Amino acid sequence: MNRVYVCSCFGVTEKQVKEHADAGACTPRQIASACKAGTDCGSCVRRIQAILGRGNCPRRELLDQGMPALAPSAPEELSEAA
């Protein structure tokens, strides 16, 4: 079986990225949290973005419907973090 590596730094394959996406990771940052891909040299981030595309993402679907993707519990906390 041929393995297509997306992230050489951490040995993450395209199959692994797709599995994390199927499990709910919708952004390169969420993929990075799941498997470290994209956190070292960063050369794989665009490839990860291409794999993720505009596929099925619950948060994206909420945004497309005009709803907030995240329901802030305390808006003042968000403005302090920014």
Side-chain angles (χ1 to χ4, degrees):
M1 185 172 176
N2 222 357
R3 288 187 180 160
V4 177
Y5 286 93
V6 173
C7 177
S8 298
C9 297
F10 294 104
V12 179
T13 65
E14 185 173 305
K15 180 182 176 195
Q16 289 171 304
V17 171
K18 288 178 180 178
E19 287 171 352
H20 290 301
D22 289 344
C26 298
T27 66
R29 183 172 284 178
Q30 291 169 343
I31 295 293
S33 293
C35 63
K36 293 188 181 182
T39 62
D40 194 22
C41 79
S43 67
C44 60
V45 174
R46 287 184 187 218
R47 177 75 179 124
I48 292 168
Q49 288 172 326
I51 292 169
L52 295 174
R54 293 267 317 155
N56 183 23
C57 178
R59 284 176 284 285
R60 222 180 261 132
E61 289 173 9
L62 288 173
L63 289 172
D64 289 345
Q65 295 171 9
M67 300 170 68
L70 299 173
S73 56
E76 57 274 4
E77 289 178 19
L78 293 176
S79 61
E80 289 175 13

Coordinates of all heavy atoms in Angstrom, one line a residue:
M1 N 0.8 -1.2 0.0 CA 0.0 0.0 0.0 C 0.9 1.2 0.0 O 1.9 1.3 0.7 CB -0.9 0.0 1.2 CG -1.9 1.1 1.3 SD -3.0 0.8 2.6 CE -4.0 2.3 2.5
N2 N 0.5 2.2 -0.8 CA 1.3 3.4 -1.0 C 0.9 4.4 0.0 O -0.3 4.8 0.1 CB 1.1 4.0 -2.4 CG 2.4 4.4 -3.0 OD1 3.4 4.4 -2.4 ND2 2.3 4.9 -4.3
R3 N 1.8 5.0 0.8 CA 1.5 6.0 1.8 C 1.9 7.4 1.2 O 3.0 7.5 0.7 CB 2.2 5.8 3.1 CG 1.7 4.7 3.8 CD 2.4 4.6 5.2 NE 1.8 3.5 5.9 CZ 2.4 2.9 7.0 NH1 3.6 3.4 7.4 NH2 1.9 1.9 7.6
V4 N 1.0 8.3 1.2 CA 1.2 9.6 0.7 C 1.4 10.5 2.0 O 0.4 10.7 2.7 CB 0.1 10.2 -0.2 CG1 0.4 11.6 -0.6 CG2 -0.1 9.3 -1.4
Y5 N 2.6 11.0 2.2 CA 2.9 11.8 3.4 C 2.5 13.2 3.1 O 2.9 13.8 2.1 CB 4.3 11.7 3.8 CG 4.6 10.3 4.5 CD1 5.1 9.3 3.8 CD2 4.3 10.2 5.8 CE1 5.3 8.0 4.4 CE2 4.5 8.9 6.5 CZ 5.0 7.9 5.7 OH 5.2 6.7 6.3
V6 N 1.8 13.8 4.0 CA 1.4 15.2 3.9 C 2.4 16.0 4.8 O 2.9 17.0 4.3 CB 0.0 15.5 4.5 CG1 -0.3 16.9 4.6 CG2 -1.0 14.7 3.6
C7 N 2.7 15.5 5.9 CA 3.7 16.2 6.9 C 4.9 15.3 7.1 O 4.8 14.3 7.7 CB 3.0 16.5 8.2 SG 4.0 17.2 9.4
S8 N 6.0 15.7 6.5 CA 7.2 14.9 6.6 C 7.8 15.1 8.0 O 8.4 14.1 8.5 CB 8.3 15.4 5.6 OG 7.8 15.2 4.3
C9 N 7.6 16.2 8.6 CA 8.2 16.5 10.0 C 7.7 15.5 11.0 O 8.4 15.0 11.9 CB 7.9 17.9 10.4 SG 8.6 19.2 9.4
F10 N 6.4 15.1 10.9 CA 5.8 14.2 11.9 C 5.3 12.9 11.3 O 4.6 12.1 12.0 CB 4.7 15.0 12.7 CG 5.2 16.1 13.5 CD1 5.0 17.4 13.1 CD2 5.9 15.8 14.7 CE1 5.5 18.4 13.9 CE2 6.4 16.8 15.5 CZ 6.2 18.2 15.1
G11 N 5.5 12.7 10.0 CA 5.1 11.4 9.4 C 3.6 11.2 9.3 O 3.1 10.1 9.4
V12 N 2.9 12.3 9.0 CA 1.5 12.3 9.0 C 1.0 12.0 7.5 O 1.5 12.8 6.6 CB 0.8 13.5 9.5 CG1 -0.7 13.5 9.4 CG2 1.2 13.8 11.0
T13 N 0.2 11.0 7.3 CA -0.2 10.7 5.9 C -1.5 11.4 5.6 O -2.2 11.9 6.4 CB -0.4 9.2 5.8 OG1 -1.5 8.8 6.6 CG2 0.8 8.4 6.1
E14 N -1.8 11.4 4.3 CA -3.0 12.0 3.8 C -4.2 11.2 4.4 O -5.2 11.9 4.8 CB -3.1 11.9 2.3 CG -4.2 12.6 1.6 CD -4.1 12.6 0.1 OE1 -3.1 13.1 -0.4 OE2 -5.1 12.1 -0.5
K15 N -4.1 9.9 4.5 CA -5.2 9.1 5.1 C -5.5 9.6 6.5 O -6.6 9.7 6.9 CB -4.8 7.6 5.1 CG -5.8 6.7 5.6 CD -5.4 5.3 5.6 CE -6.4 4.4 6.3 NZ -5.9 3.1 6.7
Q16 N -4.4 9.8 7.3 CA -4.6 10.3 8.7 C -5.3 11.6 8.7 O -6.2 11.8 9.6 CB -3.2 10.4 9.4 CG -2.7 9.0 9.7 CD -1.2 9.1 10.2 OE1 -0.4 9.7 9.6 NE2 -1.0 8.5 11.4
V17 N -4.9 12.6 7.9 CA -5.5 13.9 7.8 C -7.0 13.7 7.5 O -7.9 14.3 8.2 CB -4.9 14.8 6.8 CG1 -5.7 16.1 6.6 CG2 -3.4 15.1 7.3
K18 N -7.3 12.8 6.5 CA -8.7 12.6 6.2 C -9.5 12.0 7.3 O -10.7 12.3 7.6 CB -8.8 11.7 4.9 CG -8.4 12.5 3.7 CD -8.4 11.6 2.4 CE -8.0 12.3 1.2 NZ -8.0 11.5 0.0
E19 N -8.9 11.1 8.1 CA -9.5 10.5 9.2 C -9.8 11.5 10.3 O -10.9 11.5 10.9 CB -8.7 9.3 9.8 CG -8.6 8.1 8.9 CD -7.6 7.1 9.3 OE1 -6.8 7.3 10.2 OE2 -7.6 6.0 8.7
H20 N -8.9 12.4 10.5 CA -9.1 13.5 11.5 C -10.2 14.4 11.0 O -11.1 14.8 11.8 CB -7.9 14.3 11.8 CG -6.8 13.5 12.6 ND1 -7.1 13.0 13.8 CD2 -5.6 13.2 12.3 CE1 -6.0 12.3 14.3 NE2 -5.1 12.4 13.3
A21 N -10.3 14.7 9.7 CA -11.3 15.5 9.2 C -12.7 14.8 9.3 O -13.7 15.4 9.7 CB -11.1 15.8 7.7
D22 N -12.7 13.5 9.1 CA -14.0 12.7 9.2 C -14.4 12.7 10.7 O -15.6 12.7 11.0 CB -13.8 11.3 8.8 CG -13.7 11.2 7.3 OD1 -14.0 12.2 6.5 OD2 -13.2 10.1 6.8
A23 N -13.5 12.9 11.6 CA -13.8 12.9 13.0 C -14.2 14.3 13.5 O -14.5 14.5 14.7 CB -12.6 12.4 13.8
G24 N -14.1 15.3 12.6 CA -14.6 16.6 13.0 C -13.6 17.7 12.9 O -14.0 18.9 13.1
A25 N -12.4 17.5 12.5 CA -11.4 18.6 12.3 C -11.7 19.3 11.0 O -11.8 18.7 10.0 CB -10.0 18.0 12.3
C26 N -12.0 20.6 11.1 CA -12.4 21.3 9.9 C -11.3 22.3 9.4 O -11.5 22.9 8.4 CB -13.7 22.1 10.2 SG -15.1 21.1 10.7
T27 N -10.3 22.6 10.2 CA -9.3 23.6 9.9 C -7.9 23.0 10.0 O -7.7 22.0 10.8 CB -9.4 24.8 10.8 OG1 -9.1 24.4 12.1 CG2 -10.8 25.4 10.7
P28 N -6.9 23.6 9.4 CA -5.5 23.1 9.6 C -5.1 23.2 11.1 O -4.4 22.3 11.6 CB -4.7 24.1 8.8 CG -5.6 24.5 7.6 CD -7.0 24.6 8.3
R29 N -5.6 24.2 11.8 CA -5.3 24.3 13.2 C -5.9 23.1 14.0 O -5.2 22.6 14.9 CB -5.8 25.6 13.8 CG -5.5 25.8 15.3 CD -5.9 27.2 15.7 NE -4.9 28.1 15.2 CZ -4.9 29.4 15.3 NH1 -5.8 29.9 16.0 NH2 -3.9 30.1 14.8
Q30 N -7.1 22.7 13.7 CA -7.6 21.5 14.3 C -6.9 20.2 14.0 O -6.7 19.3 14.8 CB -9.1 21.4 14.0 CG -9.9 22.5 14.6 CD -11.3 22.6 14.1 OE1 -11.7 22.0 13.1 NE2 -12.2 23.3 14.9
I31 N -6.4 20.1 12.7 CA -5.6 19.0 12.3 C -4.3 19.0 13.1 O -3.9 18.0 13.6 CB -5.3 19.0 10.8 CG1 -6.6 18.8 10.0 CG2 -4.3 18.0 10.4 CD1 -7.3 17.5 10.1
A32 N -3.7 20.2 13.3 CA -2.5 20.3 14.1 C -2.7 19.9 15.5 O -1.8 19.2 16.1 CB -2.0 21.7 14.0
S33 N -3.8 20.2 16.1 CA -4.1 19.8 17.4 C -4.3 18.3 17.6 O -3.9 17.7 18.6 CB -5.4 20.5 17.9 OG -5.3 21.8 18.1
A34 N -4.8 17.7 16.5 CA -5.0 16.2 16.5 C -3.7 15.4 16.3 O -3.6 14.4 16.9 CB -6.1 15.9 15.5
C35 N -2.8 15.9 15.4 CA -1.7 15.1 15.1 C -0.4 15.8 14.9 O 0.6 15.2 14.4 CB -2.0 14.3 13.8 SG -2.3 15.3 12.4
K36 N -0.3 17.1 15.2 CA 0.9 17.9 15.1 C 1.2 18.4 13.6 O 2.1 19.2 13.4 CB 2.1 17.3 15.7 CG 2.1 17.1 17.2 CD 3.5 16.6 17.6 CE 3.6 16.4 19.1 NZ 4.9 16.0 19.4
A37 N 0.6 17.8 12.6 CA 0.9 18.2 11.2 C 0.7 19.7 11.1 O -0.2 20.3 11.5 CB -0.1 17.5 10.3
G38 N 1.7 20.3 10.5 CA 1.7 21.8 10.2 C 2.3 22.6 11.3 O 2.3 23.8 11.2
T39 N 2.8 22.0 12.4 CA 3.3 22.8 13.5 C 4.8 22.9 13.6 O 5.3 23.6 14.4 CB 2.8 22.1 14.9 OG1 3.4 20.8 15.0 CG2 1.3 22.1 15.0
D40 N 5.5 22.3 12.6 CA 7.0 22.4 12.7 C 7.4 23.4 11.6 O 7.4 24.6 11.8 CB 7.7 21.1 12.5 CG 9.1 21.1 12.9 OD1 9.6 22.1 13.6 OD2 9.9 20.2 12.4
C41 N 7.7 22.9 10.4 CA 8.1 23.8 9.3 C 7.0 24.6 8.6 O 7.2 25.6 8.0 CB 9.0 23.1 8.3 SG 8.1 22.1 7.1
G42 N 5.8 24.0 8.7 CA 4.6 24.6 8.1 C 4.4 24.4 6.6 O 3.5 24.9 6.0
S43 N 5.3 23.7 5.9 CA 5.2 23.5 4.5 C 4.0 22.7 4.1 O 3.6 22.7 2.9 CB 6.5 22.9 3.9 OG 6.7 21.6 4.3
C44 N 3.4 22.0 5.0 CA 2.3 21.1 4.7 C 0.9 21.8 4.9 O -0.1 21.2 4.5 CB 2.3 19.8 5.5 SG 2.3 20.1 7.2
V45 N 0.9 23.0 5.4 CA -0.4 23.6 5.8 C -1.3 23.8 4.5 O -2.5 23.5 4.6 CB -0.2 24.9 6.5 CG1 -1.5 25.7 6.7 CG2 0.5 24.7 7.8
R46 N -0.7 24.2 3.4 CA -1.5 24.4 2.2 C -2.1 23.1 1.7 O -3.2 23.0 1.2 CB -0.7 25.1 1.1 CG -0.5 26.6 1.4 CD 0.2 27.3 0.3 NE 0.5 28.6 0.7 CZ 0.4 29.7 0.0 NH1 0.1 29.5 -1.3 NH2 0.7 30.9 0.4
R47 N -1.3 22.0 1.8 CA -1.8 20.7 1.4 C -2.9 20.3 2.3 O -3.9 19.7 1.8 CB -0.6 19.7 1.5 CG -1.0 18.3 1.1 CD -1.2 18.1 -0.4 NE -1.6 16.8 -0.6 CZ -2.7 16.4 -1.3 NH1 -3.5 17.2 -1.8 NH2 -2.9 15.1 -1.5
I48 N -2.8 20.5 3.6 CA -3.9 20.2 4.5 C -5.1 21.0 4.2 O -6.2 20.4 4.2 CB -3.4 20.4 6.0 CG1 -2.3 19.5 6.4 CG2 -4.6 20.4 7.0 CD1 -1.6 19.8 7.7
Q49 N -5.0 22.3 3.9 CA -6.1 23.1 3.5 C -6.8 22.5 2.2 O -8.0 22.4 2.2 CB -5.7 24.5 3.2 CG -5.3 25.3 4.4 CD -4.7 26.6 4.1 OE1 -4.0 26.8 3.1 NE2 -5.0 27.6 4.9
A50 N -6.0 22.0 1.3 CA -6.5 21.4 0.1 C -7.3 20.2 0.4 O -8.3 19.9 -0.2 CB -5.4 21.2 -0.9
I51 N -6.8 19.3 1.3 CA -7.4 18.1 1.6 C -8.8 18.4 2.3 O -9.8 17.8 2.0 CB -6.5 17.2 2.6 CG1 -5.3 16.7 1.8 CG2 -7.3 16.1 3.2 CD1 -4.3 16.1 2.6
L52 N -8.8 19.4 3.2 CA -10.0 19.8 3.9 C -11.0 20.4 3.0 O -12.2 20.1 3.1 CB -9.7 20.7 5.1 CG -8.8 20.2 6.2 CD1 -8.5 21.3 7.2 CD2 -9.5 19.0 6.9
G53 N -10.5 21.2 2.0 CA -11.4 21.8 1.1 C -12.6 22.5 1.7 O -12.6 23.0 2.8
R54 N -13.7 22.4 1.0 CA -15.0 22.9 1.5 C -15.9 21.7 1.8 O -17.1 21.8 1.6 CB -15.7 23.8 0.5 CG -14.9 25.1 0.3 CD -15.3 26.3 1.1 NE -16.7 26.5 1.3 CZ -17.2 27.2 2.3 NH1 -16.4 27.6 3.2 NH2 -18.5 27.3 2.4
G55 N -15.4 20.7 2.4 CA -16.1 19.5 2.7 C -17.1 19.7 3.8 O -17.3 20.8 4.3
N56 N -17.7 18.6 4.3 CA -18.7 18.6 5.3 C -18.0 19.1 6.6 O -17.2 18.4 7.1 CB -19.3 17.2 5.5 CG -20.4 17.2 6.5 OD1 -21.0 18.2 6.8 ND2 -20.7 16.0 7.0
C57 N -18.5 20.2 7.1 CA -18.0 20.7 8.4 C -19.1 21.3 9.2 O -19.7 22.3 8.7 CB -16.9 21.8 8.2 SG -16.3 22.5 9.7
P58 N -19.5 20.7 10.3 CA -20.6 21.2 11.1 C -20.6 22.7 11.4 O -21.5 23.4 11.2 CB -20.6 20.4 12.4 CG -19.9 19.2 12.0 CD -18.9 19.6 11.0
R59 N -19.4 23.2 11.7 CA -19.2 24.6 12.0 C -19.4 25.5 10.8 O -20.1 26.5 10.8 CB -17.9 24.9 12.7 CG -17.8 24.5 14.1 CD -16.4 24.7 14.7 NE -15.5 23.7 14.3 CZ -15.5 22.4 14.7 NH1 -16.3 22.0 15.6 NH2 -14.6 21.6 14.3
R60 N -18.9 25.0 9.7 CA -19.1 25.8 8.4 C -20.5 25.8 8.0 O -21.0 26.8 7.5 CB -18.2 25.1 7.3 CG -17.5 26.1 6.5 CD -16.7 25.4 5.4 NE -15.3 25.4 5.9 CZ -14.5 24.3 5.8 NH1 -15.0 23.2 5.3 NH2 -13.3 24.3 6.2
E61 N -21.2 24.6 8.2 CA -22.6 24.6 7.9 C -23.4 25.6 8.7 O -24.3 26.2 8.2 CB -23.2 23.2 8.1 CG -22.7 22.2 7.0 CD -23.0 20.8 7.3 OE1 -23.8 20.5 8.2 OE2 -22.5 19.9 6.6
L62 N -23.1 25.8 10.0 CA -23.8 26.7 10.8 C -23.5 28.1 10.3 O -24.5 28.9 10.2 CB -23.3 26.7 12.2 CG -23.7 25.4 13.0 CD1 -23.0 25.4 14.4 CD2 -25.2 25.4 13.2
L63 N -22.3 28.4 9.9 CA -22.0 29.8 9.3 C -22.8 30.0 8.0 O -23.3 31.1 7.8 CB -20.5 29.9 9.1 CG -19.6 30.0 10.3 CD1 -18.1 30.0 9.9 CD2 -19.9 31.3 11.1
D64 N -22.8 29.0 7.2 CA -23.5 29.1 5.9 C -25.0 29.4 6.1 O -25.7 30.0 5.3 CB -23.4 27.9 5.1 CG -22.0 27.8 4.5 OD1 -21.2 28.8 4.5 OD2 -21.6 26.6 4.1
Q65 N -25.6 29.0 7.3 CA -27.0 29.2 7.6 C -27.2 30.5 8.3 O -28.3 30.8 8.7 CB -27.5 28.1 8.5 CG -27.5 26.7 7.8 CD -27.8 25.6 8.7 OE1 -28.2 25.8 9.9 NE2 -27.7 24.4 8.3
G66 N -26.1 31.3 8.5 CA -26.2 32.6 9.2 C -26.2 32.5 10.7 O -26.5 33.4 11.4
M67 N -25.8 31.3 11.2 CA -25.8 31.1 12.7 C -24.4 31.2 13.2 O -23.4 30.9 12.4 CB -26.4 29.7 13.0 CG -27.9 29.6 12.5 SD -28.4 27.9 12.7 CE -28.5 27.7 14.4
P68 N -24.2 31.5 14.4 CA -22.8 31.5 15.0 C -22.2 30.1 15.0 O -22.9 29.2 15.4 CB -23.0 32.2 16.3 CG -24.4 32.0 16.7 CD -25.2 31.9 15.4
A69 N -21.0 30.0 14.6 CA -20.3 28.7 14.7 C -20.0 28.3 16.1 O -20.1 27.1 16.5 CB -19.0 28.7 13.9
L70 N -19.7 29.3 17.0 CA -19.5 29.0 18.4 C -20.4 29.9 19.2 O -20.5 31.1 18.9 CB -18.0 29.3 18.7 CG -17.0 28.5 18.0 CD1 -15.6 29.0 18.3 CD2 -17.0 27.0 18.3
A71 N -21.0 29.4 20.2 CA -21.8 30.2 21.1 C -21.0 30.6 22.2 O -20.7 29.9 23.1 CB -23.0 29.3 21.5
P72 N -20.6 31.9 22.2 CA -19.8 32.4 23.3 C -20.5 32.4 24.6 O -21.7 32.9 24.7 CB -19.4 33.8 22.9 CG -20.4 34.2 21.9 CD -20.9 32.9 21.2
S73 N -19.9 31.9 25.7 CA -20.6 31.9 27.0 C -20.5 33.3 27.6 O -21.4 33.7 28.3 CB -19.9 30.9 27.9 OG -18.6 31.1 28.0
A74 N -19.4 34.0 27.4 CA -19.3 35.4 27.9 C -18.6 36.2 26.9 O -17.4 36.1 26.7 CB -18.5 35.3 29.3
P75 N -19.3 37.1 26.2 CA -18.7 37.9 25.1 C -17.5 38.7 25.6 O -16.5 38.9 24.9 CB -19.8 38.8 24.7 CG -21.1 38.1 25.1 CD -20.7 37.3 26.3
E76 N -17.5 39.2 26.9 CA -16.4 40.0 27.3 C -15.1 39.1 27.4 O -14.0 39.7 27.3 CB -16.7 40.6 28.7 CG -17.0 39.6 29.8 CD -18.5 39.3 29.8 OE1 -19.3 39.7 29.0 OE2 -18.9 38.6 30.8
E77 N -15.2 37.8 27.6 CA -14.0 37.0 27.6 C -13.4 36.9 26.2 O -12.1 36.9 26.1 CB -14.4 35.5 28.0 CG -14.7 35.4 29.5 CD -15.1 34.0 29.9 OE1 -14.8 33.1 29.1 OE2 -15.7 33.8 30.9
L78 N -14.2 36.9 25.2 CA -13.7 36.9 23.8 C -12.9 38.2 23.5 O -11.9 38.2 22.9 CB -14.8 36.7 22.8 CG -15.5 35.3 22.9 CD1 -16.6 35.2 21.9 CD2 -14.5 34.2 22.6
S79 N -13.5 39.3 23.9 CA -12.8 40.6 23.6 C -11.5 40.8 24.3 O -10.6 41.4 23.9 CB -13.8 41.8 23.8 OG -14.1 41.8 25.2
E80 N -11.4 40.2 25.5 CA -10.2 40.3 26.3 C -9.1 39.4 25.7 O -7.9 39.8 25.7 CB -10.4 39.8 27.8 CG -11.2 40.8 28.6 CD -11.5 40.3 30.0 OE1 -10.9 39.3 30.4 OE2 -12.4 40.9 30.6
A81 N -9.5 38.3 25.1 CA -8.5 37.4 24.5 C -8.0 38.0 23.2 O -6.9 37.6 22.8 CB -9.2 36.0 24.2
A82 N -8.7 38.8 22.5 CA -8.3 39.4 21.2 C -7.3 40.5 21.4 O -6.4 40.8 22.0 CB -9.4 40.0 20.5

